[in-house]
Amino acid sequence: MFDSLTQRLQSAFSKLGRKGELKDSDVDDALRGIRTALLTADVHLSVVKQLVADIRERAIGEKVLESVQPEQQVVKIVHDELVRLMGGDDVKPSMPGDATIPIQFAARGPTVILMAGLQGAGKTTTCAKLANYLKSKGRRPLLVAADMQRPAAVEQLKVLGESLDIAVHSEASGRPPKICQRAVKAAVAGGHDVVILDTAGRLHVDRDLMYEVKDIAAKVDPHEIFLVLDSMTGQDAVNSAKAFDESLPLTGVVLTKLDGDTRGGAALSVRAVTGKPIRFLGTGERTDQLEPFHPDRLASRILGMGDVVSLVERAQSAMQEQEVEKAAEKMFSGSFTMEDMLAQFEQVERMGPMKEWIGMLPGVGSALGDMDMDEKPLGRAKAIILSMTPDERRRPDVLDPSRRRRIARGSGSSLDEVNRLLKSYKQMRQMMKQMGSGGGLMGKMMNRKFQKSKEKQLRELRKQGVNLADLGLSSQ
Amino acid sequence: MRFGRLRDSLRKTSQALAGRLKALVKGRRIDESLWVDVEEVLITSDVGVEATDALVDAARTAAKHGEILKSEDVVPWIRGRMTDRLTAGDHGLRWNEGGTTVVLVAGVNGSGKTTSIAKLTKWVTAQGRSCMVAACDTYRAAAVAQLTIWSERLDVPIVKQSQGADPAAVAFDAAESAASRGVDVLIVDTAGRLHTQRNLMEELGKITRVLGKKIPGAPHETLLVLDGTAGQNGLQQTRRFREHAEVTGLIVSKLDGTAKGGVVLSIKDDLDVPVKFVGTGETADDLAPFEPATFVAALFGDED
């Protein structure tokens, strides 16, 4: 079950869609479906009850039953309520500097970020990801190993810091509050503008350890205190979030492990119970898989509207600007070579696992279901191209049977596979020529103008999102 | 949604649950509102909508047929029913008597595998059996170091290679070493993996096969470590892991917080995977063989 919540909601709504005429009891049925869907997604019972009551109120107030497409209306209401519950558009904290980074930076001196959470939530990995993210935004982060509880936790952060070329402050022994205090001093001396404190995982009922983290906060006075929360957490998420918030207090939440097949539930509950915004999502094992949180996108994803906006942004960050321009020019002028094809494969790889981004397309997420994407052909195709001489890559038309046999041997593939790749290359070249006039998703993504009018496009996509979800419903 | 209203309702729910059900149902009529209260305790304990509905419906029918007469009997009836269902099947560790028992430990990232392995090692040695651990989590930074520290503390041998090594190769070495040294129990740590990552799940299958080649019948136990705070996704995790390795039981970790781990009921019902151990604390001693009655009592907030 890839999009379990999506699928459940869709089936609840499809009941509405099939009947033609609707009664109050039909709305009750749909609401019960929504309730089950949300509970199964681990949204806390109290939140679910409130949410369902609000949806019912609005559904009646807006005379959903009398509208032409009631199911579409209900989708919109649920979507709106989810967005509202997750913080609407008001989550961006005020901050000097880059407005796209959801972090409150200190006006002067280094910005101190304390990361706290239960054991196994993913704090250490998230610290490394956050440092990497900030580094990519031109900051100079310092990681601080303040988890003296778990064996080898310090070692883990050191290894991660080294692989990312990010400085790590660690001490062989000592009390975490003192270590953090010394680390902040070291950050000032070392010219770091962000300090990220990796604290030990602790249970919210563990009085001693909760006191310790409070002590850290008292000593270093952090600008941000993030709760790192496993998105697979069940009903208990509200208990731990509340306890952490009461003793720290939190300024935001980072949701981890969203690359699994769970999502939504914990985000909804924790946002509702603490009132603290979700700032980032961890979406994979790689250290670059951390994304700023957008409530509307997550709500859309929950509802099966796809996440086109995330997809487009991911594509844009994966492709370097100049490359994009060059490729676009080449593609549309028809001088597309095997070298360009290779570059494209590499760009696709940089976007991460195929299933991940293809799943973001509207309607595809749930259609994909349990299916896995086979990533191997991409590697094989790359091997074939790499076995060609530079001249062959630029002028593939010179590839006669003898050259093709050599390439097959060199890349460990069959002649058949080489031929197939050349055929699809030729088809692509043909297609590109036709696309020269514009059009197609790739064409749009390549277009620099798109970036400038992104805001307008976002609104468009959102509007389309609703319609696309509706298409998904009527096909059931 | 107004946060104030929501906070109030949350407070009410947790207060109701803090008093838990025994006080809540005392001297009441058996009516719809009673069933709703029971239902809420089950759902907030992560039992899940489907399993909760099934339990409450069964209790409702029992009340209709006169099997439950007083409101005070409702909870014991449901508790009994849950205990029976969790008791069915084999909860003991399957020993490979006369040879090396191989226990493969798997789970998603952060579920508590390495810590659970340390506890399991302590438990096994306390049973008077010799133990060895294999560090097959070659993926996460410092995972090998973490297990090494534990093996030193617990004074058991460890088979390891460097980070990034082929986990199946480590498993092979470990099985060979355990068999030739005549070790009673070999516990194999694996990298945390989300059950949606196909290639990593296939790697798990490979480790399983390699172990079986070296020691017949191995792994004799494949234990999935399930985070006790996990919600309904626990079912999905178990289902997916079972597709790649024959999961013979669960270790439910982190039950020392406020989480109840109710999802194990659905896992038992739907997939017939029993809980074998529960982790209840931070030290190496905090692992206990699963006792259904105790577990269910804790779920309802009762001490007995």
Side-chain angles (χ1 to χ4, degrees):
Chain A
M1 240 193 293
F2 182 61
D3 270 327
S4 32
L5 180 55
T6 302
Q7 281 165 354
R8 273 166 194 277
L9 282 181
Q10 284 192 346
S11 91
F13 293 138
S14 70
K15 267 191 224 152
L16 281 183
R18 264 196 307 255
K19 289 198 192 160
E21 204 171 314
L22 287 153
K23 300 187 196 70
D24 276 351
S25 61
D26 293 329
V27 174
D28 284 342
D29 273 355
L31 287 172
R32 215 166 297 134
I34 292 168
R35 176 183 182 270
T36 304
L38 293 170
L39 282 173
T40 307
D42 294 320
V43 181
H44 193 268
L45 178 66
S46 313
V47 181
V48 173
K49 279 159 92 178
Q50 190 68 63
L51 198 52
V52 169
D54 287 356
I55 292 168
R56 179 197 299 272
E57 208 173 294
R58 276 193 60 184
I60 291 165
E62 288 169 27
K63 301 204 163 92
V64 162
L65 296 186
E66 291 161 32
S67 66
V68 190
Q69 287 173 299
E71 77 281 0
Q72 199 176 350
Q73 283 250 24
V74 176
V75 173
K76 192 180 170 302
I77 291 172
V78 178
H79 180 267
D80 287 354
E81 290 297 326
L82 291 180
V83 169
R84 197 131 63 102
L85 191 56
M86 284 189 286
D89 293 324
D90 64 345
V91 289
K92 281 229 174 90
S94 59
M95 55 213 135
D98 190 341
T100 60
I101 307 175
I103 284 178
Q104 287 171 315
F105 288 106
R108 252 177 311 126
T111 304
V112 180
I113 305 173
L114 174 81
M115 308 286 273
L118 299 174
Q119 291 96 336
K123 278 177 302 301
T124 306
T125 307
T126 304
C127 285
K129 283 181 177 181
L130 188 59
N132 190 38
Y133 169 83
L134 289 168
K135 189 182 159 209
S136 77
K137 299 280 180 188
R139 305 270 166 174
R140 289 201 62 215
L142 174 70
L143 283 163
V144 181
D147 178 358
M148 307 303 280
Q149 294 278 326
R150 180 163 59 93
V154 174
E155 179 68 21
Q156 185 184 353
L157 195 67
K158 272 162 68 177
V159 172
L160 286 169
E162 205 168 297
S163 69
L164 295 168
D165 196 21
I166 289 168
V168 177
H169 177 96
S170 69
E171 298 180 14
S173 60
R175 291 202 55 241
K178 287 279 177 203
I179 294 174
C180 291
Q181 234 175 350
R182 282 191 287 268
V184 174
K185 273 195 197 125
V188 176
H192 294 281
D193 50 10
V194 181
V195 183
I196 300 170
L197 310 173
D198 180 26
T199 67
R202 64 201 76 222
L203 274 176
H204 52 290
V205 291
D206 185 330
R207 218 177 275 171
D208 292 346
L209 277 176
M210 286 307 277
Y211 179 77
E212 183 203 85
V213 76
K214 258 165 102 162
D215 195 22
I216 294 176
K219 286 210 161 63
V220 301
D221 194 16
H223 304 88
E224 295 274 22
I225 303 178
F226 290 166
L227 176 72
V228 182
L229 183 85
D230 186 334
S231 62
M232 288 181 281
T233 313
Q235 298 281 317
D236 196 51
V238 297
N239 296 327
S240 51
K242 228 175 359 183
F244 271 98
D245 192 33
E246 276 159 15
S247 49
L248 273 172
L250 306 172
T251 60
V253 177
V254 182
L255 267 184
T256 62
K257 306 181 201 173
L258 272 155
D259 45 333
D261 51 9
T262 177
R263 51 172 161 250
L268 282 169
S269 309
V270 166
R271 165 70 194 177
V273 69
T274 64
K276 301 295 155 64
I278 298 158
R279 301 287 186 84
F280 291 97
L281 307 178
T283 55
E285 299 238 11
R286 285 202 324 267
T287 40
D288 62 347
Q289 289 173 319
L290 184 80
E291 298 171 5
F293 173 71
H294 297 276
D296 54 338
R297 290 189 205 170
L298 196 61
S300 297
R301 210 146 124 172
I302 288 168
L303 285 169
M305 293 174 183
D307 193 3
V308 179
V309 183
S310 285
L311 173 62
V312 171
E313 281 187 355
R314 190 182 281 230
Q316 279 172 341
S317 75
M319 301 176 193
Q320 266 103 46
E321 189 115 345
Q322 283 184 338
E323 269 176 61
V324 172
E325 201 146 329
K326 232 171 61 193
E329 219 168 90
K330 281 201 166 178
M331 278 164 68
F332 299 145
S333 68
S335 64
F336 180 71
T337 69
M338 295 295 277
E339 269 174 348
D340 301 325
M341 194 178 187
L342 183 65
Q344 285 214 339
F345 285 159
E346 277 161 0
Q347 281 165 357
V348 167
E349 276 180 338
R350 251 180 274 156
M351 285 170 73
M354 231 186 275
K355 176 164 180 170
E356 220 173 85
W357 55 268
I358 286 185
M360 289 182 188
L361 292 170
V364 177
S366 54
L368 225 54
D370 277 350
M371 211 173 80
D372 252 303
M373 302 295 298
D374 194 356
E375 311 259 346
K376 273 184 207 135
L378 202 59
R380 182 145 292 211
K382 267 176 67 185
I384 293 173
I385 301 178
L386 287 170
S387 298
M388 297 175 185
T389 66
D391 186 50
E392 286 167 346
R393 281 180 228 163
R394 278 191 286 270
R395 296 186 300 133
D397 293 325
V398 303
L399 290 170
D400 55 25
S402 123
R403 283 177 190 250
R404 291 182 190 197
R405 269 195 296 278
R406 191 205 77 234
I407 290 163
R409 269 200 310 278
S411 60
S413 48
S414 68
L415 186 57
D416 214 33
E417 282 170 309
V418 176
N419 284 334
R420 261 204 308 263
L421 180 74
L422 284 169
K423 200 173 150 199
S424 43
Y425 158 71
K426 279 177 188 155
Q427 281 169 348
M428 247 170 114
R429 188 171 59 180
Q430 188 56 35
M431 205 177 72
M432 301 276 173
K433 259 188 211 161
Q434 286 163 359
M435 258 170 55
S437 48
L441 182 61
M442 279 312 259
K444 274 184 190 155
M445 291 196 319
M446 295 289 182
N447 194 342
R448 282 191 77 195
K449 276 184 193 151
F450 174 75
Q451 215 160 355
K452 284 171 193 148
S453 61
K454 196 148 84 183
E455 273 314 305
K456 200 179 137 217
Q457 296 265 8
L458 288 180
R459 280 196 297 276
E460 280 288 299
L461 285 169
R462 236 172 267 147
K463 254 190 276 168
Q464 281 173 22
V466 176
N467 296 332
L468 285 160
D470 188 42
L471 282 179
L473 293 176
S474 49
S475 67
Q476 280 193 347
Chain B
M1 185 179 296
R2 290 166 289 278
F3 282 124
R5 199 156 46 125
L6 183 61
R7 285 226 187 87
D8 285 347
S9 74
L10 271 171
R11 197 172 305 134
K12 226 169 63 193
T13 307
S14 45
Q15 269 165 5
L17 297 185
R20 285 286 160 171
L21 221 48
K22 213 192 258 173
L24 197 73
V25 300
K26 207 170 172 196
R28 276 173 60 175
R29 274 183 44 205
I30 300 183
D31 57 10
E32 202 44 43
S33 78
L34 179 78
W35 298 125
V36 169
D37 286 342
V38 175
E39 194 185 281
E40 297 201 340
V41 170
L42 293 172
I43 283 178
T44 51
S45 304
D46 289 317
V47 170
V49 180
E50 221 172 282
T52 297
D53 284 353
L55 278 166
V56 172
D57 283 348
R60 226 189 235 122
T61 311
K64 219 176 273 171
H65 292 112
E67 285 172 52
I68 300 174
L69 296 171
K70 303 196 302 285
S71 65
E72 286 84 349
D73 297 337
V74 170
V75 172
W77 191 92
I78 291 180
R79 269 178 58 172
R81 187 122 176 152
M82 289 170 81
T83 308
D84 288 349
R85 269 149 74 176
L86 287 171
T87 306
D90 185 13
H91 299 285
L93 213 55
R94 284 188 258 175
W95 302 108
N96 174 27
E97 299 294 355
T100 302
T101 304
V102 179
V103 182
L104 180 67
V105 181
V108 302
N109 316 55
S111 56
K113 280 176 302 302
T114 309
T115 309
S116 294
I117 284 170
K119 294 175 179 179
L120 191 60
T121 303
K122 183 99 193 260
W123 184 83
V124 165
T125 48
Q127 308 288 305
R129 298 181 194 249
S130 63
C131 196
M132 176 190 268
V133 291
C136 293
D137 179 358
T138 56
Y139 184 82
R140 180 167 62 88
V144 176
Q146 188 181 350
L147 194 65
T148 305
I149 293 171
W150 275 119
S151 76
E152 283 161 7
R153 284 186 196 167
L154 297 166
D155 197 23
V156 296
I158 179 171
V159 174
K160 60 181 178 182
Q161 289 179 17
S162 56
Q163 194 194 330
D166 176 11
V170 182
F172 186 85
D173 284 356
E176 196 165 56
S177 169
S180 69
R181 288 211 223 173
V183 171
D184 294 332
V185 182
L186 172 67
I187 303 177
V188 183
D189 189 15
T190 62
R193 61 202 78 218
L194 284 181
H195 46 293
T196 47
Q197 295 163 325
R198 185 175 188 152
N199 47 354
L200 279 176
M201 293 302 281
E202 276 168 3
E203 180 198 276
L204 192 65
K206 192 176 162 197
I207 294 174
T208 307
R209 289 191 295 279
V210 163
L211 291 168
K213 256 182 213 155
K214 210 66 219 168
I215 300 174
H220 306 89
E221 289 277 5
T222 299
L223 301 179
L224 180 69
V225 180
L226 183 75
D227 189 326
T229 64
Q232 298 311 300
N233 191 251
L235 187 62
Q236 199 60 15
Q237 287 172 32
T238 314
R239 191 173 284 141
R240 284 303 187 87
F241 272 93
R242 222 175 49 151
E243 284 167 16
H244 295 272
E246 193 213 338
V247 178
T248 55
L250 300 178
I251 299 177
V252 184
S253 64
K254 307 183 199 173
L255 280 180
D256 44 337
T258 43
K260 302 291 176 193
V263 69
V264 301
L265 205 77
S266 301
I267 294 175
K268 184 71 179 57
D269 278 357
D270 291 8
L271 305 173
D272 199 28
V273 175
V275 183
K276 297 215 166 171
F277 292 93
V278 288
T280 54
E282 304 251 359
T283 74
D285 294 311
D286 295 323
L287 183 85
F290 178 63
E291 283 172 37
T294 315
F295 177 85
V296 173
L299 193 138
F300 282 97
D302 293 341
E303 294 302 318
D304 53 348

